[in-house]
Coordinates of all heavy atoms in Angstrom, one line a residue:
M1 N 2.0 6.7 -6.2 CA 0.9 5.7 -6.1 C 1.5 4.3 -6.3 O 2.4 4.1 -7.1 CB 0.0 6.0 -7.3 CG -1.0 4.9 -7.4 SD -2.0 4.9 -9.0 CE -3.1 6.3 -8.6
L2 N 0.9 3.4 -5.6 CA 1.2 2.0 -5.7 C 0.0 1.4 -6.5 O -1.1 1.7 -6.1 CB 1.4 1.3 -4.4 CG 2.7 1.5 -3.6 CD1 2.7 0.6 -2.4 CD2 3.9 1.2 -4.5
T3 N 0.3 0.5 -7.4 CA -0.8 -0.1 -8.2 C -0.5 -1.5 -8.7 O 0.7 -1.8 -8.8 CB -1.2 0.8 -9.4 OG1 -2.3 0.2 -10.1 CG2 0.0 1.0 -10.3
D4 N -1.5 -2.3 -9.0 CA -1.2 -3.5 -9.6 C -1.6 -3.4 -11.1 O -1.6 -4.4 -11.8 CB -2.0 -4.6 -9.0 CG -3.5 -4.7 -9.2 OD1 -4.0 -3.6 -9.7 OD2 -4.2 -5.6 -8.9
Y5 N -1.9 -2.2 -11.6 CA -2.2 -1.9 -12.9 C -3.6 -2.3 -13.4 O -4.1 -1.9 -14.4 CB -1.2 -2.5 -14.0 CG 0.1 -1.8 -14.1 CD1 1.2 -2.5 -13.9 CD2 0.2 -0.5 -14.4 CE1 2.5 -1.9 -13.9 CE2 1.4 0.1 -14.4 CZ 2.6 -0.5 -14.2 OH 3.8 0.0 -14.3
A6 N -4.3 -3.2 -12.6 CA -5.6 -3.7 -13.1 C -6.7 -3.5 -12.1 O -7.8 -3.1 -12.4 CB -5.5 -5.2 -13.4
H7 N -6.5 -3.7 -10.8 CA -7.5 -3.7 -9.8 C -7.5 -2.7 -8.7 O -8.6 -2.3 -8.3 CB -7.6 -5.1 -9.0 CG -7.6 -6.2 -10.0 ND1 -6.4 -7.0 -10.4 CD2 -8.6 -6.8 -10.8 CE1 -6.8 -7.9 -11.3 NE2 -8.1 -7.8 -11.5
W8 N -6.4 -2.2 -8.4 CA -6.3 -1.2 -7.3 C -5.2 -0.2 -7.4 O -4.2 -0.5 -8.1 CB -6.2 -1.9 -5.9 CG -5.1 -2.8 -5.8 CD1 -5.0 -4.2 -6.1 CD2 -3.7 -2.5 -5.4 NE1 -3.8 -4.7 -5.9 CE2 -3.0 -3.7 -5.5 CE3 -3.1 -1.3 -4.9 CZ2 -1.6 -3.7 -5.1 CZ3 -1.8 -1.4 -4.6 CH2 -1.0 -2.6 -4.7
G9 N -5.2 0.9 -6.7 CA -4.2 1.9 -6.6 C -4.3 2.5 -5.2 O -5.4 2.7 -4.7
E10 N -3.2 2.8 -4.7 CA -3.1 3.4 -3.3 C -2.2 4.6 -3.5 O -1.0 4.5 -3.9 CB -2.5 2.4 -2.3 CG -3.4 1.2 -2.0 CD -2.8 0.3 -1.0 OE1 -1.6 0.3 -0.8 OE2 -3.6 -0.5 -0.6
T11 N -2.7 5.8 -3.1 CA -1.9 7.0 -3.0 C -1.6 7.3 -1.6 O -2.5 7.6 -0.8 CB -2.7 8.1 -3.7 OG1 -3.0 7.8 -5.1 CG2 -1.8 9.4 -3.7
Y12 N -0.3 7.4 -1.3 CA 0.2 7.7 0.0 C 0.5 9.2 0.1 O 1.5 9.6 -0.5 CB 1.4 6.9 0.3 CG 1.1 5.4 0.5 CD1 0.9 4.6 -0.7 CD2 1.0 4.8 1.7 CE1 0.6 3.3 -0.5 CE2 0.7 3.5 1.8 CZ 0.5 2.7 0.7 OH 0.2 1.4 0.8
M13 N -0.3 10.0 0.7 CA -0.1 11.5 0.7 C 0.9 11.9 1.8 O 1.0 11.2 2.8 CB -1.5 12.2 0.8 CG -2.4 11.9 -0.4 SD -3.9 12.7 -0.2 CE -5.0 11.3 -0.6
R14 N 1.5 13.0 1.6 CA 2.5 13.5 2.6 C 1.9 13.8 4.0 O 2.6 13.7 4.9 CB 3.1 14.8 2.1 CG 4.0 14.5 0.8 CD 4.7 15.8 0.4 NE 5.4 15.5 -0.9 CZ 6.3 16.3 -1.3 NH1 6.7 17.3 -0.6 NH2 6.9 16.0 -2.4
N15 N 0.6 14.1 4.0 CA 0.0 14.4 5.3 C -0.4 13.2 6.1 O -1.1 13.3 7.1 CB -1.2 15.4 5.1 CG -2.3 14.8 4.3 OD1 -2.2 13.6 3.8 ND2 -3.3 15.5 4.0
G16 N -0.1 12.0 5.5 CA -0.4 10.7 6.2 C -1.8 10.1 5.8 O -2.2 9.0 6.3
K17 N -2.5 10.8 4.9 CA -3.7 10.2 4.4 C -3.4 9.2 3.3 O -2.5 9.3 2.6 CB -4.7 11.3 3.8 CG -5.2 12.2 4.9 CD -6.2 13.2 4.4 CE -6.7 14.0 5.5 NZ -7.7 14.9 5.1
L18 N -4.3 8.2 3.2 CA -4.2 7.1 2.2 C -5.4 7.1 1.4 O -6.5 6.9 2.0 CB -4.0 5.8 3.0 CG -4.0 4.5 2.1 CD1 -2.9 4.5 1.1 CD2 -3.9 3.2 3.0
R19 N -5.3 7.3 0.1 CA -6.5 7.2 -0.8 C -6.4 6.0 -1.6 O -5.4 5.6 -2.2 CB -6.5 8.4 -1.8 CG -7.8 8.5 -2.5 CD -7.8 9.7 -3.5 NE -7.2 9.2 -4.6 CZ -6.4 9.9 -5.4 NH1 -6.1 11.2 -5.1 NH2 -5.8 9.4 -6.5
I20 N -7.5 5.2 -1.6 CA -7.5 3.9 -2.2 C -8.5 3.9 -3.4 O -9.7 4.4 -3.1 CB -7.9 2.8 -1.3 CG1 -6.8 2.7 -0.2 CG2 -8.0 1.4 -2.0 CD1 -7.2 1.8 1.0
D21 N -8.1 3.5 -4.6 CA -9.0 3.4 -5.6 C -9.0 1.9 -6.1 O -8.0 1.3 -6.5 CB -8.5 4.3 -6.9 CG -8.5 5.7 -6.4 OD1 -9.5 6.3 -6.0 OD2 -7.4 6.3 -6.7
N22 N -10.1 1.3 -6.0 CA -10.2 -0.1 -6.5 C -11.6 -0.5 -6.9 O -12.4 0.4 -7.0 CB -9.7 -1.1 -5.5 CG -10.5 -1.3 -4.3 OD1 -11.7 -0.8 -4.2 ND2 -10.0 -1.9 -3.3
N23 N -11.9 -1.7 -7.3 CA -13.1 -2.2 -7.8 C -14.2 -2.2 -6.6 O -15.4 -2.3 -7.0 CB -13.0 -3.5 -8.4 CG -12.1 -3.5 -9.6 OD1 -12.0 -2.5 -10.2 ND2 -11.6 -4.6 -9.9
R24 N -13.8 -2.2 -5.5 CA -14.8 -2.2 -4.3 C -14.8 -0.8 -3.7 O -13.9 0.0 -3.8 CB -14.4 -3.2 -3.2 CG -14.4 -4.6 -3.8 CD -14.0 -5.6 -2.6 NE -12.6 -5.3 -2.3 CZ -12.1 -5.5 -1.1 NH1 -12.8 -6.0 -0.1 NH2 -10.8 -5.3 -0.8
I25 N -15.8 -0.5 -2.9 CA -15.9 0.8 -2.2 C -15.2 0.6 -0.9 O -15.8 -0.2 0.0 CB -17.3 1.3 -2.1 CG1 -17.9 1.5 -3.5 CG2 -17.4 2.5 -1.2 CD1 -19.4 1.8 -3.4
I26 N -14.1 1.2 -0.7 CA -13.4 1.1 0.6 C -13.1 2.6 1.0 O -12.6 3.3 0.2 CB -12.1 0.3 0.5 CG1 -12.4 -1.2 0.2 CG2 -11.3 0.5 1.7 CD1 -11.3 -2.0 0.1
P27 N -13.4 2.9 2.2 CA -13.1 4.3 2.6 C -11.6 4.5 2.7 O -10.8 3.6 2.9 CB -13.7 4.4 4.0 CG -13.8 3.0 4.5 CD -14.0 2.2 3.3
S28 N -11.2 5.8 2.5 CA -9.8 6.1 2.6 C -9.4 6.0 4.1 O -10.1 6.0 5.0 CB -9.6 7.5 2.1 OG -9.9 7.6 0.8
G29 N -8.1 6.0 4.3 CA -7.5 5.7 5.6 C -6.3 6.6 5.8 O -6.2 7.7 5.3
A30 N -5.4 6.0 6.5 CA -4.2 6.8 6.9 C -3.0 5.7 6.9 O -3.2 4.5 6.9 CB -4.3 7.3 8.4
W31 N -1.8 6.4 6.8 CA -0.6 5.6 6.7 C 0.5 6.2 7.6 O 0.4 7.4 7.8 CB -0.1 5.3 5.3 CG 0.5 6.5 4.7 CD1 -0.2 7.5 4.0 CD2 1.9 6.9 4.6 NE1 0.8 8.4 3.6 CE2 2.0 8.1 3.9 CE3 3.0 6.3 5.1 CZ2 3.1 8.7 3.7 CZ3 4.3 6.9 4.9 CH2 4.3 8.1 4.2
I32 N 1.4 5.4 8.1 CA 2.5 6.0 8.9 C 3.6 4.9 8.9 O 3.3 3.8 8.6 CB 2.0 6.2 10.4 CG1 3.1 6.9 11.1 CG2 1.7 4.9 11.1 CD1 2.6 7.5 12.5
V33 N 4.8 5.4 9.1 CA 6.0 4.5 9.2 C 6.3 4.2 10.7 O 6.4 5.1 11.4 CB 7.2 5.0 8.5 CG1 8.4 4.1 8.7 CG2 7.0 5.1 7.0
E34 N 6.2 2.9 11.1 CA 6.4 2.5 12.5 C 7.5 1.4 12.5 O 7.2 0.3 11.9 CB 5.2 2.1 13.2 CG 4.1 3.2 13.3 CD 2.9 2.6 14.0 OE1 2.7 1.4 14.2 OE2 2.0 3.4 14.3
K35 N 8.6 1.6 13.2 CA 9.5 0.4 13.3 C 10.0 -0.1 11.9 O 10.0 -1.3 11.8 CB 9.1 -0.6 14.3 CG 8.8 -0.1 15.7 CD 8.3 -1.2 16.5 CE 8.0 -0.7 17.9 NZ 7.4 -1.7 18.7
N36 N 10.2 0.9 11.0 CA 10.6 0.4 9.7 C 9.6 -0.4 8.9 O 9.9 -1.1 8.0 CB 12.0 -0.3 9.7 CG 13.1 0.5 10.1 OD1 13.1 1.7 9.8 ND2 14.0 0.0 10.9
H37 N 8.3 -0.3 9.3 CA 7.3 -0.9 8.5 C 6.3 0.2 8.1 O 6.1 1.2 8.8 CB 6.6 -1.9 9.4 CG 7.3 -3.1 9.6 ND1 8.4 -3.2 10.4 CD2 7.1 -4.4 9.1 CE1 8.9 -4.5 10.4 NE2 8.1 -5.2 9.6
V38 N 5.7 0.0 6.9 CA 4.6 0.9 6.5 C 3.3 0.4 7.0 O 3.0 -0.8 6.8 CB 4.6 0.9 4.9 CG1 3.3 1.8 4.4 CG2 5.8 1.6 4.4
C39 N 2.6 1.2 7.7 CA 1.4 0.7 8.4 C 0.2 1.5 7.8 O 0.1 2.7 7.6 CB 1.4 1.0 9.9 SG 2.8 0.1 10.7
K40 N -0.8 0.6 7.3 CA -2.0 1.2 6.8 C -3.2 0.9 7.8 O -3.3 -0.2 8.3 CB -2.3 0.5 5.4 CG -1.2 0.6 4.5 CD -1.6 0.1 3.1 CE -1.9 -1.4 2.9 NZ -2.1 -1.8 1.6
K41 N -4.0 2.0 7.9 CA -5.1 1.9 8.8 C -6.4 2.4 8.1 O -6.4 3.5 7.7 CB -4.9 2.7 10.1 CG -3.6 2.1 10.8 CD -3.2 3.0 12.0 CE -1.9 2.4 12.5 NZ -1.5 2.5 13.7
I42 N -7.3 1.5 7.9 CA -8.6 1.9 7.3 C -9.7 1.5 8.3 O -9.8 0.3 8.6 CB -8.7 1.1 5.9 CG1 -7.5 1.4 5.0 CG2 -10.0 1.6 5.3 CD1 -7.5 0.6 3.8
P43 N -10.4 2.4 8.8 CA -11.4 2.1 9.9 C -12.3 1.0 9.5 O -12.8 1.0 8.3 CB -12.1 3.5 10.0 CG -11.1 4.5 9.6 CD -10.3 3.8 8.5
D44 N -12.5 0.0 10.3 CA -13.4 -1.1 10.2 C -13.0 -2.0 9.1 O -13.8 -2.9 8.7 CB -14.9 -0.6 10.1 CG -15.3 0.2 11.2 OD1 -15.0 -0.2 12.4 OD2 -16.0 1.2 11.0
V45 N -11.9 -1.8 8.4 CA -11.5 -2.6 7.3 C -10.1 -3.2 7.5 O -9.9 -4.5 7.3 CB -11.5 -1.9 6.0 CG1 -11.0 -2.7 4.8 CG2 -12.9 -1.3 5.7
L46 N -9.1 -2.5 7.8 CA -7.7 -3.0 7.9 C -6.9 -2.1 8.8 O -7.1 -0.9 9.0 CB -7.2 -2.8 6.5 CG -5.6 -3.2 6.3 CD1 -5.4 -4.7 6.5 CD2 -5.1 -2.7 4.9
S47 N -6.0 -2.8 9.5 CA -5.0 -2.2 10.3 C -3.8 -3.2 10.3 O -3.8 -4.3 10.9 CB -5.4 -2.0 11.8 OG -4.4 -1.4 12.5
A48 N -2.8 -2.9 9.4 CA -1.7 -3.8 9.1 C -0.4 -3.1 8.9 O -0.5 -2.0 8.3 CB -2.1 -4.8 8.0
C49 N 0.7 -3.7 9.2 CA 2.0 -3.1 8.8 C 2.7 -4.2 8.0 O 2.6 -5.3 8.1 CB 2.8 -2.9 10.1 SG 2.0 -1.6 11.2
Y50 N 3.5 -3.6 7.1 CA 4.2 -4.4 6.1 C 5.7 -3.9 5.9 O 6.0 -2.7 6.1 CB 3.6 -4.1 4.6 CG 2.1 -4.5 4.6 CD1 1.1 -3.6 4.9 CD2 1.7 -5.8 4.2 CE1 -0.2 -3.9 4.8 CE2 0.4 -6.1 4.1 CZ -0.6 -5.2 4.4 OH -1.9 -5.5 4.3
E51 N 6.6 -4.9 5.6 CA 7.8 -4.5 5.1 C 7.7 -4.1 3.7 O 6.9 -4.8 3.0 CB 8.8 -5.8 5.2 CG 9.2 -6.2 6.6 CD 10.1 -7.3 6.5 OE1 10.8 -7.7 5.5 OE2 10.3 -8.0 7.6
M52 N 8.4 -3.1 3.2 CA 8.3 -2.7 1.9 C 9.6 -2.9 1.2 O 10.6 -2.2 1.5 CB 7.9 -1.2 1.8 CG 7.6 -0.7 0.4 SD 7.1 1.0 0.3 CE 5.3 0.8 0.7
W53 N 9.7 -3.8 0.2 CA 10.9 -4.1 -0.5 C 10.7 -3.4 -1.8 O 9.8 -3.7 -2.6 CB 11.1 -5.6 -0.7 CG 11.4 -6.3 0.6 CD1 10.6 -6.2 1.8 CD2 12.3 -7.3 0.9 NE1 11.2 -7.0 2.8 CE2 12.2 -7.7 2.2 CE3 13.4 -7.8 0.1 CZ2 13.1 -8.6 2.8 CZ3 14.2 -8.7 0.7 CH2 14.1 -9.1 2.0
V54 N 11.7 -2.6 -2.2 CA 11.6 -1.8 -3.5 C 12.8 -2.1 -4.4 O 14.0 -2.1 -3.9 CB 11.6 -0.3 -3.1 CG1 11.5 0.5 -4.4 CG2 10.4 0.0 -2.2
D55 N 12.6 -2.3 -5.7 CA 13.6 -2.5 -6.7 C 13.1 -1.7 -7.9 O 12.2 -2.2 -8.6 CB 13.8 -4.0 -7.0 CG 14.9 -4.2 -8.1 OD1 15.7 -3.4 -8.2 OD2 14.9 -5.2 -8.7
H56 N 13.7 -0.5 -8.1 CA 13.3 0.4 -9.1 C 11.9 0.8 -8.9 O 11.5 1.3 -7.9 CB 13.7 -0.2 -10.5 CG 15.1 -0.4 -10.8 ND1 16.0 0.5 -10.9 CD2 15.8 -1.6 -10.7 CE1 17.2 0.0 -11.0 NE2 17.1 -1.3 -10.9
D57 N 11.0 0.4 -9.8 CA 9.6 0.8 -9.6 C 8.7 -0.4 -9.2 O 7.5 -0.4 -9.1 CB 9.0 1.3 -10.9 CG 9.0 0.3 -12.1 OD1 9.6 -0.7 -12.0 OD2 8.3 0.6 -13.1
C58 N 9.4 -1.5 -8.9 CA 8.6 -2.8 -8.3 C 8.7 -2.8 -6.8 O 9.8 -2.5 -6.2 CB 9.3 -4.0 -8.9 SG 9.2 -4.1 -10.7
V59 N 7.6 -3.1 -6.2 CA 7.5 -3.1 -4.7 C 6.8 -4.4 -4.3 O 5.9 -4.9 -4.9 CB 6.6 -1.8 -4.3 CG1 6.4 -1.9 -2.8 CG2 7.2 -0.6 -4.7
E60 N 7.3 -4.9 -3.2 CA 6.7 -6.1 -2.6 C 6.4 -5.6 -1.1 O 7.2 -5.1 -0.4 CB 7.7 -7.2 -2.5 CG 7.9 -7.9 -3.8 CD 8.8 -9.2 -3.6 OE1 9.4 -9.4 -2.5 OE2 8.9 -9.8 -4.6
L61 N 5.1 -5.7 -0.8 CA 4.6 -5.5 0.6 C 4.6 -6.9 1.3 O 3.8 -7.7 0.8 CB 3.3 -4.8 0.6 CG 3.2 -3.4 -0.1 CD1 1.8 -2.9 -0.2 CD2 4.0 -2.5 0.8
R62 N 5.4 -7.0 2.3 CA 5.5 -8.3 3.0 C 5.0 -8.2 4.4 O 5.3 -7.3 5.1 CB 6.9 -8.8 2.9 CG 7.5 -9.0 1.6 CD 8.9 -9.5 1.6 NE 9.4 -9.7 0.3 CZ 10.6 -10.3 0.0 NH1 11.3 -10.8 1.0 NH2 11.0 -10.5 -1.2
R63 N 4.2 -9.3 4.7 CA 3.7 -9.4 6.1 C 3.7 -10.9 6.4 O 3.3 -11.7 5.6 CB 2.3 -8.8 6.1 CG 1.7 -8.8 7.5 CD 0.4 -8.0 7.4 NE -0.3 -8.2 8.6 CZ -1.6 -8.2 8.8 NH1 -2.4 -8.0 7.6 NH2 -2.2 -8.4 9.9
A64 N 4.1 -11.3 7.6 CA 4.4 -12.7 7.9 C 3.1 -13.5 7.8 O 3.1 -14.6 7.4 CB 4.8 -12.7 9.3
S65 N 1.9 -12.9 8.1 CA 0.7 -13.7 8.0 C -0.1 -13.6 6.7 O -1.2 -14.0 6.6 CB -0.3 -13.3 9.2 OG -0.6 -11.9 9.0
S66 N 0.5 -13.0 5.7 CA -0.2 -12.8 4.4 C 0.7 -13.1 3.2 O 1.9 -13.1 3.4 CB -0.6 -11.3 4.3 OG -1.5 -11.0 5.3
P67 N 0.1 -13.3 2.1 CA 1.0 -13.5 0.9 C 1.6 -12.2 0.5 O 1.1 -11.1 1.0 CB 0.0 -14.0 -0.2 CG -1.4 -13.8 0.4 CD -1.2 -13.6 1.9
I68 N 2.6 -12.2 -0.3 CA 3.3 -11.0 -0.7 C 2.4 -10.3 -1.7 O 1.9 -10.9 -2.6 CB 4.7 -11.3 -1.4 CG1 5.6 -11.9 -0.3 CG2 5.3 -10.1 -2.0 CD1 6.9 -12.5 -0.8
F69 N 2.3 -9.0 -1.5 CA 1.6 -8.2 -2.5 C 2.6 -7.5 -3.4 O 3.5 -6.8 -3.0 CB 0.8 -7.0 -1.7 CG -0.4 -7.5 -1.0 CD1 -0.3 -7.6 0.4 CD2 -1.6 -7.8 -1.6 CE1 -1.4 -8.0 1.1 CE2 -2.7 -8.2 -0.9 CZ -2.6 -8.2 0.5
D70 N 2.5 -7.7 -4.7 CA 3.3 -7.2 -5.7 C 2.6 -5.9 -6.2 O 1.4 -5.8 -6.4 CB 3.5 -8.0 -6.9 CG 4.4 -9.3 -6.5 OD1 5.4 -9.1 -5.7 OD2 4.0 -10.4 -6.9
A71 N 3.5 -4.8 -6.4 CA 2.9 -3.5 -6.8 C 3.9 -2.8 -7.5 O 5.1 -3.2 -7.6 CB 2.4 -2.7 -5.6
Y72 N 3.5 -1.7 -8.2 CA 4.4 -0.9 -9.0 C 4.2 0.6 -8.6 O 3.1 1.0 -8.4 CB 4.1 -1.1 -10.5 CG 4.3 -2.6 -10.9 CD1 3.2 -3.4 -10.9 CD2 5.6 -3.1 -11.2 CE1 3.3 -4.8 -11.1 CE2 5.6 -4.4 -11.5 CZ 4.5 -5.3 -11.5 OH 4.7 -6.6 -11.8
I73 N 5.3 1.4 -8.6 CA 5.2 2.7 -8.3 C 4.8 3.5 -9.6 O 5.6 3.3 -10.6 CB 6.5 3.3 -7.8 CG1 6.9 2.5 -6.5 CG2 6.5 4.8 -7.5 CD1 8.3 2.8 -5.9
R74 N 3.9 4.4 -9.6 CA 3.4 5.1 -10.7 C 3.1 6.6 -10.2 O 2.6 6.7 -9.1 CB 2.3 4.5 -11.5 CG 2.6 3.3 -12.1 CD 3.5 3.6 -13.3 NE 4.0 2.4 -13.9 CZ 5.3 2.1 -13.9 NH1 6.2 2.8 -13.4 NH2 5.8 0.9 -14.5
D75 N 3.2 7.5 -11.1 CA 2.7 8.9 -10.8 C 1.2 8.8 -10.7 O 0.5 8.1 -11.4 CB 3.1 9.8 -11.8 CG 4.6 10.1 -11.9 OD1 5.2 10.1 -10.8 OD2 5.1 10.4 -13.0
P76 N 0.6 9.6 -9.6 CA -0.9 9.5 -9.5 C -1.6 10.2 -10.6 O -1.0 10.9 -11.4 CB -1.0 10.3 -8.2 CG 0.3 10.9 -7.9 CD 1.3 10.3 -8.7

């Protein structure tokens, strides 16, 4: 699970499904690795690919057109 500890959590399942838990109601989606980027697809909400930089349990999701998302790896 990736989380910011306060507002959201994303669980990337082995079967390619993406479960999102946050303060808003957002349907679950899918994820895949394409060209060394993690791509998240949530119907009618998001379709974006990110570079994922990892240092121990700290993660940065980077995308040229967006600010860096800081997250942490935790057990679901």
Side-chain angles (χ1 to χ4, degrees):
M1 170 192 284
L2 286 183
T3 183
D4 72 346
Y5 285 122
H7 305 102
W8 57 269
E10 298 178 341
T11 303
Y12 294 77
M13 296 179 232
R14 291 181 188 201
N15 62 2
K17 290 186 180 180
L18 174 62
R19 191 182 81 217
I20 298 172
D21 301 308
N22 71 12
N23 296 334
R24 298 180 294 150
I25 298 171
I26 294 180
S28 295
W31 71 277
I32 191 168
V33 175
E34 295 177 350
K35 298 180 184 174
N36 293 324
H37 287 71
V38 173
C39 300
K40 301 190 291 184
K41 298 173 189 204
I42 303 166
D44 301 321
V45 177
L46 174 71
S47 181
C49 296
Y50 301 87
E51 290 182 14
M52 186 178 281
W53 294 49
V54 181
D55 182 21
H56 300 286
D57 65 345
C58 299
V59 176
E60 290 182 351
L61 296 172
R62 297 180 180 193
R63 185 172 167 211
S65 61
S66 299
I68 294 172
F69 288 103
D70 292 318
Y72 303 92
I73 300 171
R74 291 291 169 246
D75 290 330

